[in-house]
Amino acid sequence: MNTDTPKRSALTINGRTLSFVDFGGAGLPLIALHGHMSEGMSYADLAGRLAPDWRLIAPDQRGHGASDRAADYSREGYVADVEALMNHLGLERAVLLGHSLGAINAYQFAARHPERVTALINAEGCAELGLDGTNPLAFVLNLPDTTAISREAFVAQLGPFAPYLESAVHERPDGTWGLHFRPQDIYDSEDKVHGDHWADWTGSACPALLVRGTKGGVLSAEQAEQMTARRPGTRLVELETDHFVHANDPAGFANAVRSFLTAV
């Protein structure tokens, strides 16, 4: 387990702040990218389980957590943020791990900068999604885009969404409380992550681990099999949990990641 205290830092990208958490230690660098409506600290448990061999660094991706909102949520923008973070940290190469949105960002970065990625870990990140034109995160537009004077008051505004989003309620710099993201940003970002990304998924040759949740995950068994077959050097692990594999089966996910990294 890692006994280092997580350190929060930030870099500035064209006037916009990108915040990140460095869980510390002397291990090899592993950059972990969260999914929509999550944040870097969601990897705290994983960081502890992988230490001391791995030093996990997790940004709050644009529009999430302590990072600033961005002018756009394009594929190019997310990928550029990863490059800026690695440059800021002085990392020529690192392992990239991502969940959902973060997984797509990770493998797209690897496709564009293969020389900088030593291994790739994809948790529930599809190679194609949203081709029917629907946005599964449309429900976020019904969330309150306001603040309240206390945490309890804002959680009450969430109504039926409270059990799922209570952890996303943060204190703002002005002392009020609200979500750490803006609902419209999440909707727009989800729209822009949709597409056929097979060329990106198969566009790097480093060893890769693909993790699928078998109980309500977004990644279907059929697509997971195709992703494994079409990308040489890819290992598939299926966990008996839902889309949030690292949160709802933390031990199983960490064991799969550790086993993969030890092998490669």
Side-chain angles (χ1 to χ4, degrees), residues 19-189:
S19 181
F20 64 94
V21 180
D22 187 341
F23 290 92
L28 296 170
L30 187 157
I31 294 177
L33 306 175
H34 62 77
H36 280 126
M37 297 182 286
S38 189
E39 57 187 321
M41 279 301 296
S42 65
Y43 287 113
D45 181 84
L46 180 64
R49 292 176 187 268
L50 295 183
D53 298 318
W54 294 91
R55 169 195 171 197
L56 195 147
I57 303 155
D60 292 348
Q61 298 199 85
R62 54 175 56 197
H64 293 78
S67 290
D68 286 344
R69 301 176 71 190
D72 72 84
Y73 294 90
S74 64
R75 302 287 74 237
E76 294 78 8
Y78 277 113
V79 169
D81 285 350
V82 178
E83 182 179 20
L85 176 61
M86 290 185 66
N87 291 344
H88 175 77
L89 294 169
L91 298 178
E92 289 297 325
R93 307 179 76 200
V95 171
L96 286 191
L97 177 152
H99 170 249
S100 195
L101 162 74
I104 297 172
N105 296 345
Y107 74 65
Q108 289 188 326
F109 179 87
R112 291 155 176 75
H113 305 280
E115 75 286 354
R116 303 195 69 173
V117 182
T118 57
L120 185 63
I121 300 165
N122 175 343
E124 283 276 311
C126 301
E128 65 176 52
L129 69 164
L131 301 186
D132 62 357
T134 61
N135 188 322
L137 297 187
F139 73 90
V140 300
L141 299 179
N142 296 317
L143 298 176
D145 194 11
T146 57
T147 59
I149 61 172
S150 69
R151 179 182 181 85
E152 294 74 17
F154 187 84
V155 169
Q157 293 182 26
L158 291 174
F161 297 108
Y164 310 101
L165 291 173
E166 187 172 0
S167 62
V169 179
H170 286 199
E171 186 174 12
R172 302 282 178 85
D174 63 0
T176 62
W177 292 78
L179 295 169
H180 70 69
F181 56 82
R182 300 294 292 272
Q184 186 66 54
D185 292 348
I186 299 300
Y187 181 89
D188 293 343
S189 178

Side-chain angles (χ1 to χ4, degrees), residues 7-31:
K7 178 183 178 182
R8 181 168 289 280
S9 303
L11 65 149
T12 301
I13 307 171
N14 297 324
R16 172 176 52 85
T17 295
L18 185 75
S19 181
F20 64 94
V21 180
D22 187 341
F23 290 92
L28 296 170
L30 187 157
I31 294 177

